[in-house]
Amino acid sequence: MRFGFFDQLPCAPGFSEQQRYDDIIAQIELGDEVGFDTVWLGELHFSRAFSVLADPLMVLAAAAHRTRRIRLGTAVTLLPLHNPVKIAEEAAIVDILSHGRLELGVGRGTAPLHYEGYAIPMEESRERFEEALDFIIGAWRSESFSFEGKYFRARELKLTPRPVQSPYPPIRIAANSPDTFPFAARRGMPIFATPLINPPDKLKEGLAVYRETLGGRKGDTALAFPVHVAASRAQARAECEPGLLRFLREAAERLRPLGQTDVKSFEAFRQVLARIERVTYADMDREMGVFGEPDYCVERVRELQRDYGMDEFICYFNQGGMMDHAMVRHSMSLFAKEVMPHCR
């Protein structure tokens, strides 16, 4: 099993944007040193409390020359918000700068604020996503590329620069709504998911649909879990609970407008909102969290791997963004040195 870590750079009171960006670059360097396979950065907009990470590809480009082996991933690039030509170009540059280490994660996102801010109707998100995905793959596959869609068009486009990886960097789809699991499987693409958005029973159903729809083809699932490693279970809770609860409050605020929308494809997120508004630390600890001393975390990761059968375990070390850099580094280092070797 592979291991990655994730951040979306929430900016809690007492932290500056400069500090958060300096911290994530240093944490990527640490992840490279201690043996994580992948770093994943989220794209989010218009909410400093939830994230100041508006362009993960730019941060990954900065990290490319400060690392040597860790793969650099977006989780996710929000395709409906962007011109696919620009994403194809920028992603190719990151792949070049990293000597072929880019992992392009793509999705639609969950926040109405994103679509309002970019002046894109939310009901167009699915069609825009599928068109942009086809466009980027086509542009990377062909020296001269033409495309005629509802939202995006190209005529004999000759994309430059081109990615190092052939035929193109791995593309992973965020599977947060029920229809995305079979969609990704039909295209034979790997997926992201998390029990925070999909409760465990629904996530397991979605994964079963994904694997069944693959029809014997090899799939690849990367699942994200909140993680904090400390000297004891009690210490882990004391250190990470404030940030976890802050993360849930901020996530609920961003999802709440979906309760008033009639966009059918986002019905699943109304259910996510209801779940987030009632979840507690105990729920997270029981259902998805890895919080405690190294020996406990080894057994917990093994248990989650048995339950979900994921190919990559993604750690979210600082949900809510309230931990200082030294505490995050300590947790990352303990996980890498005392948990990962027993769970690969």
Side-chain angles (χ1 to χ4, degrees), residues 51-337:
S51 173
V52 293
L53 187 50
D55 191 340
L57 284 170
M58 185 176 290
V59 179
L60 295 177
H65 281 182
R66 299 177 68 166
T67 56
R68 61 180 180 82
R69 44 154 298 279
I70 193 168
R71 295 189 66 80
L72 308 173
T74 62
V76 295
T77 297
L78 301 175
L79 292 189
L81 303 185
H82 305 293
N83 187 307
V85 177
K86 188 66 171 171
I87 297 300
E89 290 175 336
E90 291 181 349
I93 291 170
V94 175
D95 203 44
I96 292 167
L97 291 174
S98 65
H99 296 263
R101 288 185 281 136
L102 176 67
E103 302 267 339
L104 184 67
V106 297
R108 293 186 291 151
T110 61
L113 195 61
H114 290 164
Y115 289 87
E116 293 170 7
Y118 274 81
I120 293 173
M122 203 166 183
E123 59 269 21
E124 296 177 0
S125 69
R126 169 62 74 183
E127 289 182 328
R128 284 180 174 271
F129 172 79
E130 294 187 18
E131 273 197 23
L133 180 61
D134 289 339
F135 190 110
I136 291 167
I137 292 173
W140 278 344
R141 275 180 169 161
S142 305
E143 290 292 335
S144 180
F145 171 69
S146 296
F147 187 91
E148 187 68 30
K150 182 176 179 180
Y151 302 102
F152 308 115
R153 297 170 181 81
R155 184 175 179 182
E156 297 181 5
L157 179 71
K158 296 180 180 178
L159 191 75
T160 187
R162 307 188 67 78
V164 172
Q165 296 178 82
S166 180
Y168 48 82
I171 298 176
R172 185 177 296 270
I173 296 177
N176 291 322
S177 57
D179 56 343
T180 309
F181 290 95
F183 170 81
R186 286 193 296 269
R187 290 172 172 250
M189 288 185 165
I191 59 171
F192 293 108
T194 174
L196 177 62
I197 294 179
N198 294 280
D201 57 337
K202 297 295 184 185
L203 177 53
K204 289 172 185 176
E205 289 175 11
L207 292 173
V209 169
Y210 173 72
R211 289 161 180 154
E212 180 181 351
T213 308
L214 282 167
R217 292 173 294 166
K218 187 180 185 315
D220 188 296
T221 58
L223 305 188
F225 302 89
V227 174
H228 187 60
V229 190
S232 67
R233 294 265 287 147
Q235 181 182 339
R237 177 170 186 168
E239 291 176 348
C240 73
E241 183 174 14
L244 288 166
L245 296 182
R246 181 178 186 274
F247 171 84
L248 292 170
R249 289 194 304 271
E250 294 296 336
E253 285 303 311
R254 292 168 62 80
L255 285 169
R256 189 160 288 113
L258 289 173
Q260 288 78 49
T261 184
D262 292 324
V263 181
K264 182 179 178 182
S265 62
F266 280 81
E267 169 60 32
F269 294 113
R270 284 195 284 273
Q271 300 173 21
V272 173
L273 172 61
R275 168 176 161 78
I276 286 176
E277 287 181 324
R278 65 175 182 267
V279 74
T280 65
Y281 177 86
D283 294 327
M284 297 188 75
D285 184 37
R286 182 181 62 256
E287 295 179 355
M288 68 194 81
V290 181
F291 310 133
E293 66 276 10
D295 287 346
Y296 171 83
C297 292
V298 168
E299 293 307 313
R300 184 66 172 132
V301 171
R302 288 174 175 172
E303 178 185 11
L304 291 167
Q305 208 284 330
R306 288 193 298 270
D307 287 347
Y308 294 101
M310 77 286 287
D311 300 282
E312 180 165 345
F313 186 102
I314 301 175
C315 305
Y316 193 169
F317 284 108
N318 191 14
Q319 281 189 303
M322 295 182 69
M323 293 183 189
D324 64 45
H325 180 55
M327 186 181 293
V328 178
R329 286 180 63 92
H330 183 64
S331 178
M332 287 179 64
S333 297
L334 280 176
F335 189 90
K337 294 174 182 176

Side-chain angles (χ1 to χ4, degrees), residues 24-44:
I24 192 57
I25 292 292
Q27 286 160 21
I28 295 171
E29 289 182 287
L30 175 64
D32 187 53
E33 293 168 8
V34 299
F36 281 91
D37 298 292
T38 321
V39 57
W40 300 99
L41 300 183
E43 177 190 343
L44 297 106

